[in-house]
Amino acid sequence: MPDTTTLRARNIDFWTRSAPGWADQADRHDEIGRPLGAVALDRLQPRPGERVLDVGCGCGGTTAEIARAVTASGSAVGLDLAEAMVATARQRFTRPGGTGPRFVAGDVETLGVVPGAPFDAVYSRMTLMLLADPLAGLTTIRRSMRAGGRLAATVFRDGRVNPWLPAALLGAAAHLGPLPPLPIGDEPGPFAFADADRVTRLLTRAGFADIDLRPYDVTLNAPDDPAAVTEWLIEVGPAGAAYRDADPESRGLARAGAAHLLERFRTAGTGYRLPAGLWLITARRALDD
Ligand SMILES: C[S@@+](CC[C@H](N)C(=O)[O-])C[C@H]1O[C@@H](n2cnc3c(N)ncnc32)[C@H](O)[C@@H]1O
């Protein structure tokens, strides 16, 4: 596996280059992608007055949802590695007078403690498996929580229970320029947290207590609009930057290639049903930590 410095450089480059596609797709992603984190939000139950951190907040949709739950008496902070993601999140959700969620650009692996700590609760949707050094990132998260504070996060399980995810990439890739290196083994990537024992070991080494992983199967419902749905899936995936760099003809071929492989998830006239297999990860910072 490449060293952590190389993986971190890859991560920042990848997310900086992916950010414009995520920004364009932000509303669609918030709507269709909600089941990817709903179970963690249900478990976390952010309450009015609480301080809550959203790790890897992307374009801020989930942080804004948390901000509504904690109300103006609490605070919601979204942290993201990519400045451009944070800029989009601020544009979408920062309100005059500084009310609403706050967004911070930074790497959870190297911050030591996240600005705004200590947090009562930490939420994260589809990010922890992407960290170049997950132990460092999880340690920052634990240190940023108050004693007794709670963590609830979702990550993907493996590729077999998320078959649509590689389909969009495989269908599009042949028509696009060079793609970023695809992850191998435990390298950061969508399925790097598939192994529950590995995740439990990492959380234990990071100092968490009451660690629990549960499988959840959810369905993403997307409208019967193949061009829009395939573009969304390409833009929020590893081929996103190459897709944006491509000429219109290649983009059309990439969408058609992805649409072909995604056809098995589509019912004409009804839409797409994309099955997603998740781990719900919960843990606490021990009271005596
Ligand atoms: C798959 S996206 C998920 C975004 C959002 N949570 C969602 O579910 O829509 C992963 C996000 O994690 C961010 N990220 C990756 N590594 C990070 C790190 N080391 N520190 C902070 N954020 C990171 C990326 O910039 C990206 O916005």
Side-chain angles (χ1 to χ4, degrees), residues 57-105:
C57 63
C59 296
T62 55
T63 323
E65 200 171 337
I66 292 167
R68 287 192 288 277
V70 299
T71 72
S73 62
S75 63
V77 175
L79 169 72
D80 204 279
L81 180 67
E83 299 265 1
M85 293 277 197
V86 169
T88 303
R90 285 187 184 133
Q91 208 173 28
R92 296 178 77 212
F93 297 112
T94 303
R95 299 282 167 261
T99 56
R102 198 159 65 82
F103 295 99
V104 176

Side-chain angles (χ1 to χ4, degrees), residues 6 22 43 55 65 69 80 98 103 110-111 116 139 172 231 273 275:
T6 307
W22 278 72
R43 184 60 67 91
V55 175
E65 200 171 337
D80 204 279
F103 295 99
T110 55
L111 271 176
T139 303
E231 186 159 77
R273 289 176 59 79

Side-chain angles (χ1 to χ4, degrees), residues 11 15 22 29 56 58 80-81 106-109 125-127 131:
N11 211 17
W15 287 107
W22 278 72
H29 188 67
D80 204 279
L81 180 67
D107 186 337
V108 72
E109 298 169 31
R125 185 177 91 173
M126 300 295 142
T127 293
L131 303 181

Side-chain angles (χ1 to χ4, degrees), residues 91-149:
Q91 208 173 28
R92 296 178 77 212
F93 297 112
T94 303
R95 299 282 167 261
T99 56
R102 198 159 65 82
F103 295 99
V104 176
D107 186 337
V108 72
E109 298 169 31
T110 55
L111 271 176
V113 168
V114 178
F119 295 97
D120 299 300
V122 177
Y123 171 82
S124 182
R125 185 177 91 173
M126 300 295 142
T127 293
L128 299 180
M129 68 287 194
L130 305 171
L131 303 181
D133 181 348
L135 180 58
L138 290 169
T139 303
T140 302
I141 291 173
R142 196 202 89 244
R143 279 203 215 106
S144 303
M145 294 160 75
R146 68 161 171 79

Side-chain angles (χ1 to χ4, degrees), residues 195-288:
D195 177 359
D197 290 341
R198 173 173 186 244
V199 180
T200 304
R201 275 196 306 275
L202 282 165
L203 287 158
T204 306
R205 286 178 63 202
F208 280 97
D210 299 339
I211 299 162
D212 187 57
L213 264 78
R214 268 159 216 240
Y216 272 87
D217 294 315
V218 300
T219 304
L220 308 189
N221 290 303
D224 191 24
D225 183 345
V229 171
T230 52
E231 186 159 77
W232 161 59
L233 285 172
I234 295 168
E235 292 223 83
V236 299
Y243 176 79
R244 288 179 78 83
D245 288 346
D247 58 69
E249 190 188 342
S250 305
R251 282 204 292 272
L253 289 169
R255 281 195 303 276
H260 178 62
L261 293 189
L262 288 164
E263 190 58 27
R264 70 183 170 112
F265 303 107
R266 174 178 174 234
T267 304
T270 302
Y272 290 83
R273 289 176 59 79
L274 307 172
L278 316 175
W279 289 122
L280 167 63
I281 302 172
T282 55
R284 276 185 186 274
R285 181 171 186 171
L287 280 169
D288 58 358

